[in-house]
Amino acid sequence: NTMSSIYANSSDSYWNERQKKHEKKKTPLLLVASTVVFAIAAVGAILHNKHSIARSRTLTQRRAHDKANDSHWKQCESRVNSRQECTIICQPERNSIHRKTMHQSCLHGCQQAHVTSTSLSCRGKVSSEEEVFLEIGGLSYVHCSKFQATDPKPDVFATCRKYHRAGIKSGFRMGLDSMKDVLDEEWAGIINGLNAEQ
């Protein structure tokens, strides 16, 4: 029994000593590793913050819809091809039973709405799809009224109104994208001009 306690004590003390040596070696290594990780995180945060600030500043400067003028609006509107976009949107109606009539009503409703919503979007008169629908959604009845008596009733009229809504949605998005491109190009020209002066 005495023998086993001698070995047990020496074994315990051996492992305790070894663990202390290992912890002593581990402590500086952990300190260095945590310092390096902290430094990397700090540098990353600083760079991200600078990039975010610079980016938000340039976005604020270049995307100011309220700073857009008549020239910007005309460029924005001229870049959107409502006829081409509505031809793509109305493609499914080309294959309908009453192909010619349905396709014509689709193109008419889509183009009427597309042109109007693009104009509103380019000019910054609306800021969401919901606002565009409130602004011109009610015009679908007026824009599509010429198809109200067209056979097959009321399918042709309903098709015109359905694609009037699709034209509003597409025109709004295309107007925003077009104005963004116009302002981005102008901003890039300003930046290139400033870089050339330096």
Side-chain angles (χ1 to χ4, degrees):
N1 197 11
T2 315
M3 230 12 174
S4 66
S5 68
I6 292 173
Y7 289 118
N9 286 341
S10 66
S11 176
D12 287 341
S13 65
Y14 169 77
W15 287 111
N16 286 337
E17 287 295 318
R18 185 172 170 144
Q19 188 175 5
K20 286 179 186 176
K21 286 180 184 176
H22 184 66
E23 285 177 4
K24 286 180 183 176
K25 288 180 184 176
K26 198 175 183 182
T27 303
L29 184 61
L30 281 173
L31 184 61
V32 169
S34 60
T35 305
V36 168
V37 169
F38 178 73
I40 290 172
V43 169
I46 290 169
L47 291 176
H48 177 72
N49 193 24
K50 282 184 179 178
H51 177 70
S52 296
I53 290 170
R55 188 166 178 236
S56 68
R57 190 177 305 135
T58 57
L59 286 174
T60 303
Q61 290 170 345
R62 69 179 172 185
R63 290 193 182 176
H65 247 322
D66 58 330
K67 302 271 192 277
N69 57 35
D70 194 49
S71 171
H72 293 119
W73 298 334
K74 287 178 182 173
Q75 285 181 51
C76 175
E77 291 167 2
S78 69
R79 290 178 182 211
V80 177
N81 188 339
S82 294
R83 178 181 295 250
Q84 181 181 359
E85 187 63 22
C86 286
T87 300
I88 294 166
I89 291 171
C90 291
Q91 191 62 35
E93 292 303 323
R94 291 186 70 110
N95 302 324
S96 66
I97 294 171
H98 302 283
R99 181 181 62 81
K100 185 177 180 187
T101 310
M102 292 297 210
H103 190 249
Q104 285 174 349
S105 70
C106 174
L107 286 174
H108 179 79
C110 180
Q111 287 177 8
Q112 292 287 320
H114 203 281
V115 169
T116 307
S117 64
T118 297
S119 179
L120 289 172
S121 182
C122 283
R123 294 173 183 267
K125 303 276 187 195
V126 290
S127 58
S128 69
E129 272 185 26
E130 185 179 348
E131 286 182 29
V132 181
F133 284 117
L134 289 173
E135 190 76 28
I136 61 173
L139 293 176
S140 69
Y141 192 86
V142 175
H143 287 161
C144 296
S145 62
K146 76 180 210 172
F147 293 101
Q148 200 166 10
T150 306
D151 286 326
K153 295 178 202 171
D155 297 344
V156 177
F157 181 60
T159 298
C160 180
R161 292 183 70 189
K162 171 183 168 185
Y163 287 100
H164 188 274
R165 185 171 183 83
I168 290 172
K169 190 173 186 176
S170 176
F172 172 71
R173 277 187 272 118
M174 290 185 81
L176 285 182
D177 291 344
S178 179
M179 182 54 88
K180 177 189 170 299
D181 291 344
V182 168
L183 296 174
D184 283 352
E185 287 171 15
E186 181 181 68
W187 182 249
I190 291 169
I191 294 298
N192 290 338
L194 291 174
N195 289 341
E197 289 175 6
Q198 294 175 351

